[in-house]
Amino acid sequence: MGGLTGDPAFAATTFVVIDFEATTPTGFPAQPIEVAALALRYETGTWTTAGRPFSSLIRPPAFAPVTPADTAQTGLTAEQVGQAPSPAEALGALDRRFAAGKPYLLVAQHAATEANLIHNQREHCPALARIDLLDTIPLARYLFPGLPNYRLDTLLAHFSIKHPADRHRAYADVEVTAEVFMRLVGAADENAELSDLAALVKIAGRTAKCNMPAQGELFDVHPTSERGHG
């Protein structure tokens, strides 16, 4: 056990590896068509799964149809997602997995993508939208400088993790991202500068948009105060 995994805050946290597949309609934000999540805990020196894995297709709105390019990348067709649960149904079911008052962190490869998708769907998943994230890319860059790039396929090759047959499907990507994350934590455990969860968050953390102060609040001027200095 190293400093990081020996930290009580690390041990208390449930790490939820999450991935979305999405369409990218012109003039609109990306719209999810699939989501998967896998919850991990580090207990008594080993990783364990917390609860059942989650996976669901999501029916996109009419303005964001699945395109031939989407099908070529993911294998998902317009017919498949056309019969899928709505965003409210799919993301609501995922949202109910999160227990109030328990510490969670989302884990994602290029977490900005997941952060934006979640924020744009926050009315359907208010609990999920308030969970901060860890990004495997800056963590890998910090721990393993000098790789040609930090794409998921590159990290899979670096760690000799088998490339899944259905790469670019949400649950397949969640499984291998979880493998990468566990390898990164193993490396971080041997790094004296990453001695606790706070240090890990400093390197690879991303604040959920719902947890950021609104721009207006940063510059609010109280009218009474303004008059008092007139």
Side-chain angles (χ1 to χ4, degrees):
M1 180 184 291
L4 175 59
T5 55
D7 175 30
F10 185 93
T13 299
T14 299
F15 298 91
V16 180
V17 185
I18 191 165
D19 183 75
F20 285 89
E21 301 302 327
T23 63
T24 52
T26 302
F28 294 93
Q31 300 294 312
I33 56 174
E34 188 175 33
V35 61
L38 177 64
L40 302 172
R41 294 286 301 272
Y42 192 86
E43 298 174 338
T44 61
T46 189
W47 287 101
T48 61
T49 57
R52 293 175 292 104
F54 180 90
S55 181
S56 179
L57 296 178
I58 302 173
R59 185 173 70 249
F63 64 77
V66 170
T67 66
D70 295 325
T71 301
Q73 178 166 341
T74 67
L76 292 171
T77 66
E79 290 73 22
Q80 283 176 291
V81 300
Q83 304 301 315
S86 68
E89 293 167 330
L91 295 175
L94 176 57
D95 205 56
R96 290 189 289 275
R97 294 284 190 97
F98 295 95
K102 290 191 176 181
Y104 295 95
L105 280 172
L106 302 179
V107 177
Q109 171 80 6
H110 194 251
T113 299
E114 272 60 40
N116 287 333
L117 279 161
I118 291 167
H119 185 71
N120 290 337
Q121 299 289 330
R122 61 192 180 277
E123 65 179 301
H124 306 313
C125 51
L128 178 66
R130 289 208 170 270
I131 301 174
D132 293 333
L133 304 95
L134 289 174
D135 193 332
T136 51
I137 291 177
L139 183 56
R141 186 179 289 119
Y142 178 83
L143 291 166
F144 298 96
L147 295 184
N149 58 63
Y150 293 87
R151 298 188 185 105
L152 184 55
D153 289 335
T154 302
L155 296 176
L156 295 183
H158 178 76
F159 291 119
S160 299
I161 297 169
K162 185 178 179 182
H163 194 281
D166 49 355
R167 174 82 171 86
H168 295 298
R169 288 295 302 272
Y171 190 68
D173 284 1
V174 156
E175 284 193 307
V176 291
T177 300
E179 289 286 341
V180 167
F181 177 64
M182 289 186 283
R183 303 289 181 89
L184 292 173
V185 168
D189 233 9
E190 300 173 5
N191 188 306
E193 295 182 6
L194 289 173
S195 59
D196 55 21
L197 182 62
L200 187 70
V201 169
K202 186 175 181 180
I203 294 295
R206 185 180 187 91
T207 303
K209 288 189 174 183
C210 284
N211 295 335
M212 294 179 180
Q215 286 296 312
E217 295 173 6
L218 297 177
F219 301 102
D220 276 351
V221 176
H222 296 291
T224 53
S225 172
E226 194 173 36
R227 286 196 299 270
H229 290 85

